[in-house]
Amino acid sequence: MAKSHALPLNERVSVNNTLQRLSDVVILSLLLSLLAFRLASLHRHGTTWLVAFVCESWFAFIWFLYLNARWNRIVYRSHPQHLANTYGDLPAVDMFVTTADPTLEPPIITVDTVLSLLALDYPVHKLACYVSDDGASPVTFFSFSESVEFAKLWVPFCKKHGVRVRAPSVYFSSTEPQLNSSADFIQEWRHVENEYEELSRRVASVNNEDQIPNYHSNDEFKDFFKIESKNHPTIVKILWENKKGSEQEGIMPHLIYVAREKRPQHPHHYKAGAMNVLTRVSGVMTNAPFVLNVDCDMFANNPQVILHAMCLLLGSPDEGNNNAFAQAPQQFHRALKDDPFGNQLVVLQQSLVPGIQGIQGPFYAGTGCLQRRKVIYGVPPNGSRFKKKGGKFFSRLQLLECSSKDNSTEMLSREELQLFYGTSMEFMHSAVQITAGISSPGLPSDLSSRVAVAEMVASCSYEFNTAWGDEIGWVYGSMTEDILTSLRCHSMGWRTVALMLDPPAFLGSAPVGGPASLTQHKRWATGLLEILVSKKNPVVSVITKELMLRQCLAYLILLVWGVRSIVEVCYALLPAYCLLSNSTFLPNTSEVGFVVALALFVTYNIYTLVEYFRYGLSVRAWWNNQRMQRIYSSTAWLLGFFSVVLKLLGISDTVFEITQKEQRRPGEDVDDPGRFTFDSSPAFVPGTAVMLVNLWAFAVGLLRVLNTTDAEGPGIGEFVCSGWILLCFWSFLKGLFGRGRHGIPWPVIGKAMVIVGLFLQFYKTA
């Protein structure tokens, strides 16, 4: 309940970015000037000039998208110390953690994440944690069942001593008791540390069900007997229940294990399907009005993260708050120095997120997000506002809102309600309570009485002929279900807010090595392009729904990754083509266009370098991100593009690939983790081909210059551009001579040589 005369929970601050605006406009002006020069002299040049004009037009469009997204920078400051004066009773929160494969995602990592959530600074009776195991692995279940006893030690220890980092592996590896600490604290610290080390040992010692102690005689594991990861019934286990009146009440929040039903003949929709199951299971068990979800490797780094998020979502009690969710930027623990794989996203998030926050707000990133449950159920900011209807589900949801607010369900029959929520009366009742804004759901205190209902709503056939995956829940149809769900949220008229805290809200692990990094970017590029070519793309939402035009342009920054790959590969091959065919695609040094192109090259690189300095990063970090941008666009994004093309042609479907989670300990002997690694993945073929083409062309062009005095042909610009590409792909060049995982496999080189041969044949016949 909100109190009168309350102190503000947050402040909205506009950031002065006049210099950045001016720099963005200058670079855009140089791009347009270069295009004007090319257009004016297009009739005097060949095909290469036209190709360059098309590519540079695309680059100007991309830069305009960035300029739009960065124009109005807004930051929020939260004041959790004011919550007690504003809200006497904080809302409940259901926390979701998802994992899928105990091999790629070691269970101890997921256990650490869950332990950090259970120990957050928030009323224990207001929290419940649900773990989704999409692989239905007895190893994962064993790990969590073993962790419960340790959690009973860990959560009170953190609350008692004000532990800041509440992931035990991070805490014990980076903290030692102070010399002036009391003997009791040191003794307790050592005891908890020893218990955690014992837990880690037990978890690490089990790699399959045969290694689980008493596996066949323990009734807790009977549901896992003779099942397959993609063919099994629903498994719901209450690992810990915070029962009222029990001796251990208030020790820690509820902890529930969920493995949804999977059958080969039923689509399971990857992570989006798992999140929807968790939404329904939690809806019939605890039904909190807010939901926090994190990936299995992203632990809570700031124990007050929920309190800060509530400041942004609850806002002032005297004004309507249209923030659907609070999204924390993805930041990483023990990240490699200088970001050698360009996937830590520091500058991208620091520069774009405050700018997009000045429009409709940041995108949902799939992890580190606290959101309103009613938003998941498709309710717009104003339940009665449907100026632009999105089909039968929207219009019927409007009726549902009206009926729930009038405390009357006669307006909708049971069959009509089933079109939204499915056949479970318990879940329909809980959903109507949320959409009606009832803060006290009044669910039974005994969670075990709801297990049967939870198993029902987690079945693989429950969503048939319902709105799930479309107008309700996480949206299906893309590998990047987070962006698609975020787009639906903004299209309903909601705003969102960034949860940018110090210390950071959550910390995860960034992929290490070439294969893992390219796998992640391929999945992103594929999913983003799936959205762009679908009927749910942001352009359609601007016309038919409540999405702002500028927010649409911000979405396009990501959605066009797959298309960018085609343009960037063409531009990367242009200097090689000109060196081989003795032609040009850049203005001569005597032309004004050369000055414009040179000024653009220098200005852009200085601008981006200064941006990295602004956020405390090094020159090497800047260069690593520059070169990895070229590598990703020529490899992972390109494969993502062709994956979607094959899907549209009906030749093959896209495949979801899990990114392997790294588990490194301090002091562990790792063979240069920042060095680029390779495998036989097709993703490395186009990058190898681009490198080989430019290497051959540079050598041919250099020999031609040494052996002829002909003034015609490529100039210094073509040599600089080809050399720049070779520098960007230097890791591929070294891979030709590397060994083991640091060398490019011969099958990849062979396939790349075929592409090089086709390119050489093309330039000869062109």
Side-chain angles (χ1 to χ4, degrees):
M1 182 70 68
K3 301 178 181 179
S4 59
H5 307 294
L7 295 172
L9 296 181
N10 62 69
E11 296 177 66
R12 187 177 189 267
V13 181
S14 298
V15 179
N16 185 354
N17 61 333
T18 304
L19 183 59
Q20 179 175 319
R21 287 182 180 183
L22 180 62
S23 302
D24 287 346
V25 171
V26 167
I27 292 176
L28 181 62
S29 300
L30 289 172
L31 279 164
L32 295 177
S33 299
L34 181 59
L35 291 175
F37 175 81
R38 285 199 184 277
L39 192 60
S41 55
L42 195 60
H43 63 282
R44 301 198 308 267
H45 299 274
T47 306
T48 55
W49 206 264
L50 178 61
V51 173
F53 176 78
V54 172
C55 292
E56 289 158 1
S57 299
W58 175 262
F59 299 150
F61 171 67
I62 295 296
W63 189 256
F64 174 74
L65 295 182
Y66 277 94
L67 182 149
N68 162 75
R70 289 191 289 232
W71 195 256
N72 301 107
R73 291 169 60 86
I74 299 294
V75 296
Y76 282 89
R77 296 170 184 164
S78 51
H79 304 292
Q81 68 274 17
H82 296 168
L83 271 173
N85 296 323
T86 307
Y87 289 89
D89 189 26
L90 292 172
V93 178
D94 288 336
M95 303 180 291
F96 298 166
V97 180
T98 53
T99 185
D101 188 325
T103 302
L104 297 177
E105 299 169 335
I108 191 61
I109 293 180
T110 312
V111 166
D112 260 15
T113 296
V114 170
L115 290 171
S116 73
L117 296 177
L118 295 176
L120 289 175
D121 287 339
Y122 206 74
V124 170
H125 65 284
K126 294 288 187 176
L127 295 177
C129 185
Y130 295 81
V131 179
S132 170
D133 177 15
D134 236 21
S137 168
V139 174
T140 301
F141 177 72
F142 167 79
S143 301
F144 279 100
S145 61
E146 290 290 302
S147 69
V148 170
E149 289 303 316
F150 174 75
K152 295 177 187 178
L153 288 175
W154 176 246
V155 174
F157 175 79
C158 291
K159 301 290 183 69
K160 177 181 178 181
H161 299 290
V163 172
R164 193 187 70 77
V165 179
R166 300 190 178 178
S169 65
V170 180
Y171 175 72
F172 289 119
S173 65
S174 59
T175 307
E176 286 285 343
Q178 298 291 327
L179 294 177
N180 58 353
S181 300
S182 66
D184 290 341
F185 172 74
I186 294 176
Q187 182 179 4
E188 187 178 4
W189 193 95
R190 296 296 182 194
H191 173 63
V192 176
E193 181 191 33
N194 291 337
E195 289 297 319
Y196 178 71
E197 290 178 352
E198 177 61 21
L199 170 65
S200 301
R201 186 196 61 77
R202 292 198 304 270
V203 171
S205 66
V206 173
N207 296 311
N208 55 63
E209 60 268 24
D210 294 332
Q211 297 175 329
I212 297 176
N214 304 318
Y215 177 68
H216 294 285
S217 60
N218 190 335
D219 288 343
E220 286 294 320
F221 293 98
K222 64 181 181 181
D223 293 327
F224 296 92
F225 293 167
K226 298 180 180 179
I227 66 171
E228 301 174 4
S229 61
K230 296 183 180 180
N231 187 12
H232 60 84
T234 300
I235 303 174
V236 177
K237 300 281 189 180
I238 299 175
L239 296 170
W240 173 258
E241 182 176 359
N242 183 29
K243 287 186 177 181
K244 291 184 179 180
S246 67
E247 293 182 0
Q248 295 182 317
E249 178 187 355
I251 288 184
M252 68 179 196
H254 304 307
L255 179 59
I256 298 99
Y257 170 93
V258 180
R260 58 179 170 142
E261 181 186 16
K262 281 188 178 181
R263 302 299 179 192
Q265 66 272 26
H266 292 289
H268 55 84
H269 302 293
Y270 310 112
K271 182 180 176 181
M275 295 300 294
N276 284 338
V277 166
L278 288 181
T279 301
R280 295 194 296 272
V281 169
S282 63
V284 299
M285 298 188 86
T286 48
N287 202 33
F290 289 88
V291 168
L292 170 69
N293 85 279
V294 298
D295 284 344
C296 66
D297 64 329
M298 187 155 284
F299 64 87
N301 182 64
N302 189 322
Q304 292 193 323
V305 57
I306 295 182
L307 296 174
H308 283 282
M310 285 299 175
C311 291
L312 301 175
L313 293 178
L314 297 177
S316 169
D318 300 323
E319 61 184 21
N321 196 311
N322 291 339
N323 289 331
F325 59 75
Q327 174 64 61
Q330 292 198 39
Q331 295 173 274
F332 304 101
H333 175 62
R334 296 194 188 117
L336 296 178
K337 184 181 179 182
D338 297 328
D339 193 8
F341 301 103
N343 52 18
Q344 295 173 20
L345 310 175
V346 175
V347 172
L348 181 68
Q349 294 182 131
Q350 293 292 334
S351 63
L352 281 186
V353 170
I356 299 175
Q357 193 160 239
I359 310 175
Q360 267 188 274
F363 314 140
Y364 170 52
T367 181
C369 181
L370 183 74
Q371 55 189 309
R372 302 177 190 272
R373 187 182 286 266
K374 71 176 184 179
V375 176
I376 301 174
Y377 292 162
V379 179
N382 181 347
S384 61
R385 186 186 69 182
F386 283 89
K387 297 178 182 178
K388 300 178 181 180
K389 297 188 179 185
K392 65 177 182 179
F393 291 128
F394 264 115
S395 59
R396 290 186 179 183
L397 189 57
Q398 183 179 6
L399 292 174
L400 178 61
E401 276 291 291
C402 295
S403 66
S404 61
K405 289 180 179 178
D406 295 336
N407 295 320
S408 171
T409 57
E410 285 78 19
M411 293 181 64
L412 290 178
S413 66
R414 176 177 176 177
E415 289 73 20
E416 288 173 316
L417 284 169
Q418 288 175 357
L419 289 176
F420 296 102
Y421 303 122
T423 57
S424 169
M425 289 301 296
E426 292 86 353
F427 181 76
M428 282 189 278
H429 181 65
S430 71
V432 169
Q433 288 179 321
I434 290 294
T435 57
I438 299 175
S439 58
S440 300
L443 291 174
S445 57
D446 184 9
L447 293 184
S448 59
S449 65
R450 287 297 181 117
V451 170
V453 179
E455 290 175 345
M456 173 189 174
V457 298
S459 67
C460 59
S461 60
Y462 184 83
E463 296 180 352
F464 289 174
N465 298 318
T466 70
W468 285 100
D470 186 12
E471 302 296 341
I472 296 175
W474 274 255
V475 184
Y476 302 151
S478 168
M479 285 192 195
T480 50
E481 77 294 324
D482 45 4
I483 297 297
L484 193 53
T485 303
S486 173
L487 179 57
R488 187 194 66 188
C489 172
H490 286 128
S491 297
M492 288 191 295
W494 286 99
R495 290 181 177 271
T496 56
V497 64
L499 187 61
M500 306 181 78
L501 306 179
D502 184 18
F506 301 94
L507 291 178
S509 58
V512 174
S517 300
L518 265 60
T519 295
Q520 184 182 66
H521 273 263
K522 176 180 176 291
R523 185 176 70 245
W524 288 347
T526 302
L528 294 169
L529 188 56
E530 286 176 323
I531 299 173
L532 185 64
V533 300
S534 73
K535 295 179 181 179
K536 299 175 182 177
N537 71 71
V539 177
V540 174
S541 296
V542 168
I543 300 171
T544 63
K545 299 181 182 179
E546 302 291 337
L547 186 69
M548 294 181 181
L549 176 60
R550 289 187 59 205
Q551 187 76 9
C552 167
L553 297 177
Y555 271 105
L556 290 179
I557 292 175
L558 300 179
L559 299 186
V560 299
W561 275 10
V563 182
R564 281 180 64 178
S565 66
I566 299 298
V567 178
E568 296 205 21
V569 168
C570 288
Y571 208 68
L573 293 175
L574 261 182
Y577 178 86
C578 291
L579 291 174
L580 291 171
S581 62
N582 201 31
S583 58
T584 64
F585 80 101
L586 290 173
N588 294 329
T589 54
S590 59
E591 296 177 305
V592 66
F594 180 83
V595 177
V596 174
L598 179 62
L600 177 61
F601 179 81
V602 173
T603 304
Y604 171 78
N605 282 290
I606 291 177
Y607 172 89
T608 54
L609 182 59
V610 170
E611 197 170 34
Y612 274 76
F613 288 161
R614 184 190 311 158
Y615 299 117
L617 301 176
S618 65
V619 175
R620 183 174 289 276
W622 167 80
W623 172 245
N624 285 337
N625 278 266
Q626 295 297 308
R627 68 180 181 85
M628 288 305 301
Q629 175 67 39
R630 305 285 79 75
I631 290 174
Y632 287 139
S633 64
S634 301
T635 55
W637 295 5
L638 187 64
L639 255 66
F641 173 83
F642 285 117
S643 295
V644 176
V645 170
L646 293 176
K647 177 182 177 181
L648 293 174
L649 295 176
I651 297 175
S652 68
D653 202 356
T654 52
V655 178
F656 188 92
E657 297 174 272
I658 300 173
T659 305
Q660 183 169 356
K661 305 299 187 293
E662 295 293 326
Q663 183 182 10
R664 297 190 297 117
R665 301 286 185 180
E668 181 180 359
D669 184 18
V670 179
D671 180 22
D672 192 7
R675 186 176 173 186
F676 206 86
T677 55
F678 301 87
D679 63 12
S680 56
S681 168
F684 293 102
V685 175
T688 305
V690 169
M691 180 272 297
L692 290 173
V693 166
N694 276 277
L695 182 63
W696 176 254
F698 194 90
V700 170
L702 191 60
L703 287 174
R704 183 184 292 117
V705 169
L706 295 176
N707 294 324
T708 182
T709 57
D710 188 5
E712 297 294 328
I716 189 174
E718 284 74 17
F719 279 99
V720 169
C721 288
S722 184
W724 187 263
I725 295 297
L726 287 174
L727 285 176
C728 290
F729 284 85
W730 190 255
S731 55
F732 280 73
L733 184 58
K734 292 197 299 182
L736 291 177
F737 310 100
R739 294 182 178 181
R741 62 195 186 102
H742 298 300
I744 303 176
W746 281 108
V748 172
I749 296 176
K751 294 171 186 176
M753 289 298 294
V754 172
I755 297 176
V756 172
L758 293 174
F759 180 83
L760 295 177
Q761 185 64 31
F762 167 76
Y763 102 83
K764 290 179 181 178
T765 57

